[in-house]
Amino acid sequence: MDKSPQRIRGMFDSIAPWYDFLNHFLSLGIDRRWRAFTARQLINADTIDGDVLDVCCGTGDLTLALQRRQPQRSYYGIDFSEAMIERAKRKTGTLIFSTGDALHLPFDDNRFAVIANAFGLRNVCDTQGGLAEMVRVCKADGTVAVLDFSMPVLPVLRQLYRFYFTSVLPRIGEWFAGNRNAAYRYLPQSVLAFDSPQQLAGRMEQLGLQNIRIQSLTFGIAALVWGRKIKH
Ligand SMILES: C[S@@+](CC[C@H](N)C(=O)[O-])C[C@H]1O[C@@H](n2cnc3c(N)ncnc32)[C@H](O)[C@@H]1O
């Protein structure tokens, strides 16, 4: 699968005008609940003090969901698609959105209390490198989290969902957004080829995260995988 930065950036630049609408339409609004759930898990009374970073923030919906939890923190969003970042900036002036590469985050080591990534790491051409960057910029006792699609395990549901995801969703996506870089065909292909939540948890462990949790959402259609960076 071609995950070259040029292809991925071009694809998200071209679907940016349709991105939010199609996210909510194709998921029947469930994506909002997944982001709100993620925000509740990551920002609460147990979260250490400090700034929050949303890597591959796209149009900023997760960044905003995180900010709603504790507006007094500083929230940063970074993404390499200018068109996506432009849309994020239009939603609010209170968050710090900028363009940048997830594989070379322009931040010092041990900088953030929480680093989150929603539906983004799967698109980064080097999964381990992207995750390692998130761990690098995380403070001791801070949290690194990845939210993404996964495949349901219940047999009938798995088949129904697979049919919707690989046959119906790409057609609807193309009706609206056009066949721009085949983005809505790439989506199911990339999910099917990507790590399972357990594999992602294994990568986190390799990178030294501890207390790793896998939280399955909506019968396993999505999963939140997250861990804590322990003091060295
Ligand atoms: C499916 S969108 C997710 C956007 C947002 N996190 C959300 O929850 O809707 C994936 C995003 O990852 C970004 N992306 C992919 N590879 C990247 C990289 N190497 N560096 C920065 N952003 C990247 C894309 O530009 C795109 O905006």
Side-chain angles (χ1 to χ4, degrees):
M1 180 173 305
D2 178 8
K3 287 194 187 178
S4 64
Q6 295 80 347
R7 183 206 176 185
I8 300 293
R9 193 185 304 119
M11 195 172 80
F12 283 103
D13 276 341
S14 67
I15 61 167
W18 289 99
Y19 182 80
D20 283 340
F21 165 73
L22 282 171
N23 256 358
H24 308 326
F25 181 71
L26 293 169
S27 75
L28 307 174
I30 296 171
D31 65 310
R32 285 198 180 96
R33 278 199 268 155
W34 292 341
R35 290 192 190 83
F37 174 85
T38 300
R40 283 199 300 279
Q41 299 302 305
L42 302 185
I43 309 283
N44 53 49
D46 296 334
T47 311
I48 60 165
D49 284 344
D51 298 347
V52 176
L53 174 66
D54 181 6
V55 178
C56 300
C57 65
T59 57
D61 278 1
L62 177 64
T63 338
L64 279 160
L66 292 163
Q67 188 207 29
R68 270 181 219 119
R69 298 280 303 158
Q70 280 180 4
Q72 64 274 23
R73 291 176 189 260
S74 293
Y75 292 81
Y76 293 73
I78 190 159
D79 196 288
F80 70 5
S81 160
E82 279 182 23
M84 298 287 270
I85 283 290
E86 195 192 304
R87 294 203 159 245
K89 283 181 177 165
R90 271 192 232 160
K91 287 182 187 168
T92 170
T94 60
L95 305 178
I96 305 152
F97 289 114
S98 55
T99 49
D101 187 353
L103 291 170
H104 305 279
L105 292 174
F107 301 109
D108 291 340
D109 297 356
N110 309 312
R111 164 79 176 75
F112 293 96
V114 174
I115 295 103
N117 182 304
F119 313 103
L121 186 63
R122 168 171 41 87
N123 303 294
V124 176
C125 59
D126 173 5
T127 308
Q128 194 73 4
L131 204 50
E133 272 295 87
M134 292 169 65
V135 174
R136 178 184 68 76
V137 300
C138 182
K139 287 186 187 189
D141 287 332
T143 306
V144 172
V146 176
L147 168 68
D148 209 336
F149 293 107
S150 63
M151 291 304 285
V153 282
L154 292 175
V156 176
L157 181 66
R158 189 181 171 90
Q159 277 167 322
L160 283 173
Y161 180 68
R162 200 184 166 103
F163 174 71
Y164 169 74
F165 203 50
T166 58
S167 303
V168 180
L169 177 145
R171 290 198 172 88
I172 302 176
E174 279 173 17
W175 279 337
F176 286 100
N179 185 22
R180 299 175 202 270
N181 307 63
Y184 286 90
R185 299 204 171 270
Y186 162 85
L187 170 61
Q189 287 166 2
S190 67
V191 171
L192 291 170
F194 191 56
D195 287 359
S196 65
Q198 289 73 17
Q199 286 168 322
L200 207 50
R203 287 185 190 273
M204 289 185 176
E205 221 170 334
Q206 273 179 25
L207 290 167
L209 297 182
Q210 295 188 11
N211 304 337
I212 294 168
R213 296 185 67 181
I214 299 177
Q215 288 170 297
S216 188
L217 302 169
T218 321
F219 307 106
I221 290 173
L224 176 65
V225 185
W226 53 297
R228 183 143 292 178
K229 181 165 165 180
I230 303 297
K231 283 193 185 86
H232 294 295

